[in-house]
Structure formats: C-alpha cells, structure tokens
Amino acid sequence: QVQLVESGGGLVQAGGSLRLSCTASGSTFRINAIGWYRQAPGKQREWVAVVGSGGSTKYADSVKGRFTISRDNEKNTVDLQMNSLKPEDTAVYYCNADYLSGLLNREVWGQGTLVTVSS
C-alpha cells in the first residue's frame, strides 16, 4: 500500500508563488508515476503535471512555463513549484500516484491541499 499526504497550500496574491509538496509512505519502491491534479469549485478535476519514475516530466498547457514538478526518490517527495500564479489557478490540488501492487497497477490519491490566488 502507498499513502500520500500533500502540504504547502495557502493564500497568495496573483503573480506570487507557492510550493506544494507530496510525501509518500508505505511501499514507495513500487511507485511509478506521480502527478498533480486540481479541482476548482464547480469544475471537474483536471490533470496538472506528472513526473515518471525516471524523472521525465509533462505539463498541462495551462501551467507550462509557470509550474515545475520535481521528484526526490530518497525523500519520497514530489514537489510542485508554482510561479506567476493566476486567480484561475485557485483549486484544491491533489497528488496522485500509480504503483504496482502484486501484478496489478493501482492508483492512490492524497487528501488535497487548497490553493487560493487572489486578484
């Protein structure tokens, strides 16, 4: 089993920065990709960024150039550095991991952390 806990959310003015952190525990050696998703009020959850087990990264077009995802396998953490924040970035941000459980691929979600960007 794998568990995820997010931290680092808060209130920031437009143009500011925040750094979110996702800490994994449990069978972390079985984790493949870890990603960040977000869900704004009244909207569906959307993918933001992902980092693979080898360190490759991908970003949604809406955050490309402003957000950076990074992974520290020794500390079992994945951070999301968010710069040049916009009010439309306001959402609950969730960490998500794909991991191997026996012969099955499973996924796990964190509890989420709220990011509020004021205009």
Side-chain angles (χ1 to χ4, degrees):
Q1 293 287 345
V2 173
Q3 298 81 38
L4 303 174
V5 176
E6 303 98 334
S7 60
L11 174 65
V12 64
Q13 288 188 332
S17 299
L18 275 178
R19 189 176 185 91
L20 306 182
S21 186
C22 174
T23 302
S25 61
S27 301
T28 57
F29 59 94
R30 296 183 179 275
I31 294 176
N32 296 316
I34 297 184
W36 285 94
Y37 290 72
R38 66 186 181 186
Q39 187 166 17
K43 295 188 177 181
Q44 290 188 331
R45 191 172 297 187
E46 64 174 2
W47 169 72
V48 174
V50 65
V51 56
S53 57
S56 60
T57 59
K58 291 184 180 179
Y59 299 90
D61 288 342
S62 59
V63 306
K64 201 172 293 183
R66 299 188 298 122
F67 291 11
T68 302
I69 190 170
S70 60
R71 179 170 182 166
D72 187 328
N73 289 326
E74 290 190 3
K75 295 181 179 179
N76 295 317
T77 57
V78 172
D79 291 348
L80 186 68
Q81 177 66 41
M82 306 185 294
N83 299 328
S84 302
L85 283 162
K86 305 174 182 180
E88 51 264 43
D89 294 318
T90 295
V92 177
Y93 283 71
Y94 297 90
C95 185
N96 170 275
D98 292 325
Y99 68 99
L100 193 62
S101 177
L103 297 178
L104 299 177
N105 284 314
R106 296 186 183 277
E107 68 171 358
V108 61
W109 293 89
Q111 83 288 352
T113 185
L114 177 63
V115 171
T116 304
V117 184
S118 63
S119 57

